[in-house]
């Protein structure tokens, strides 16, 4: 069922059939809720932490789509981090955007696989749960809301996924609120 939903999501994102509902949300609250939720369902001994210098931070985003990206990245980290830590961090990257990162102390991603990790059906471990579509979906969502997503090639103590997110959406995105993309 998860595979079918992922394929539908991916297809809908690619063909502009998913509606994004852009509104003001407290990103710190979203991150706290996501880390609490993943901590409760994780099947690993790794500790999950959220780090930020902000008490709260209002941004214009689709709250449920941002949660989808964060949950996807955190769940992926739990699959490859049996013990140690997983850290979600959000900080201001500039006056216009936030920088998110999910860092784990797991097995890491070999350099030769890093270039293909966002491709459809790409899986590091064929025995691990999942469809290999989650990172492709994350990339499409982040790009739609005006950000970029990447894996940090210089981090070698596990994996670190980073993405940017604009604090305010351009007027064109606000005009799309509730409309198909």
């Amino acid at each position: 069922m998860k595979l079918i939903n992922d394929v539908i999501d991916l297809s809908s994102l690619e063909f502009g059939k998913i509606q994004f509902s852009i509104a003001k949300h407290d990103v710190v609250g979203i991150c706290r809720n996501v880390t609490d939720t993943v901590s409760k369902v994780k099947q690993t001994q790794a500790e999950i932490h959220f780090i930020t210098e902000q008490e709260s931070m209002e941004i214009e985003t689709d709250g449920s789509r941002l949660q989808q990206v964060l949950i996807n990245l955190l769940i992926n980290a739990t699959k490859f981090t049996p013990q140690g830590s997983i850290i979600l961090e959000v900080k201001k990257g500039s006056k216009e955007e936030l920088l998110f990162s999910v860092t784990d102390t797991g097995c890491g991603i070999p350099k030769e696989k890093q270039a293909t990790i966002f491709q459809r059906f790409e899986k590091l471990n064929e025995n691990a749960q999942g469809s290999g579509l989650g990172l492709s979906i994350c990339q499409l969502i982040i790009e739609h809301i005006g950000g970029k997503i990447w894996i940090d090639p210089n981090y070698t103590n596990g994996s670190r996924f980073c993405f940017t997110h604009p604090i305010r959406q351009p007027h064109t995105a606000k005009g799309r609120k509730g409309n198909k993309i």
Side-chain angles (χ1 to χ4, degrees):
M1 195 59 153
K2 172 92 169 89
L3 175 61
I4 291 169
N5 287 333
D6 282 350
V7 169
I8 290 169
D9 249 5
L10 188 64
S11 166
S12 297
L13 280 162
E14 283 184 322
F15 295 107
K17 295 183 178 172
I18 283 192
Q19 293 186 358
F20 278 69
S21 182
I22 304 295
K24 292 181 180 181
H25 294 276
D26 175 21
V27 73
V28 174
I30 288 173
C31 290
R32 283 196 177 112
N33 288 339
V34 165
T35 53
D36 288 346
T37 300
V38 174
S39 289
K40 290 174 185 163
V41 301
K42 68 182 172 77
Q43 296 179 335
T44 178
Q45 296 202 10
E47 294 290 320
I48 298 177
H49 303 283
F50 170 54
I51 298 173
T52 188
E53 293 179 355
Q54 309 295 321
E55 286 296 315
S56 68
M57 168 62 71
E58 192 173 85
I59 65 169
E60 294 174 357
T61 190
D62 182 318
S64 62
R65 292 290 169 193
L66 179 57
Q67 285 180 54
Q68 181 180 2
V69 169
L70 293 170
I71 287 170
N72 225 325
L73 292 174
L74 287 168
I75 291 292
N76 278 356
T78 67
K79 291 178 192 176
F80 300 101
T81 311
Q83 50 196 339
S85 65
I86 300 165
I87 298 170
L88 168 60
E89 183 176 12
V90 64
K91 60 185 175 184
K92 279 193 167 181
S94 70
K95 286 192 289 188
E96 294 86 29
E97 69 182 14
L98 296 179
L99 175 63
F100 291 78
S101 63
V102 173
T103 305
D104 67 57
T105 58
C107 60
I109 299 172
K111 292 261 190 218
E112 65 274 7
K113 286 273 197 179
Q114 291 181 7
T116 62
I117 201 71
F118 290 100
Q119 292 178 4
R120 285 180 213 122
F121 301 108
E122 185 65 33
K123 292 177 70 170
L124 286 179
N125 178 348
E126 288 303 318
N127 298 321
Q129 243 182 332
S131 62
L133 293 174
L135 290 175
S136 296
I137 292 169
C138 289
Q139 184 177 38
L140 287 169
I141 290 170
I142 293 303
E143 288 175 353
H144 174 74
I145 53 181
K148 291 180 175 61
I149 187 168
W150 66 95
I151 184 167
D152 181 348
N154 300 317
Y155 182 73
T156 57
N157 295 325
S159 297
R160 176 179 290 140
F161 284 86
C162 304
F163 68 90
T164 57
H165 189 301
I167 293 172
R168 303 279 170 247
Q169 292 291 314
H171 290 302
T172 53
K174 285 182 194 173
R176 286 194 305 239
K177 183 177 174 182
N179 295 332
K180 292 180 180 176
I181 59 171

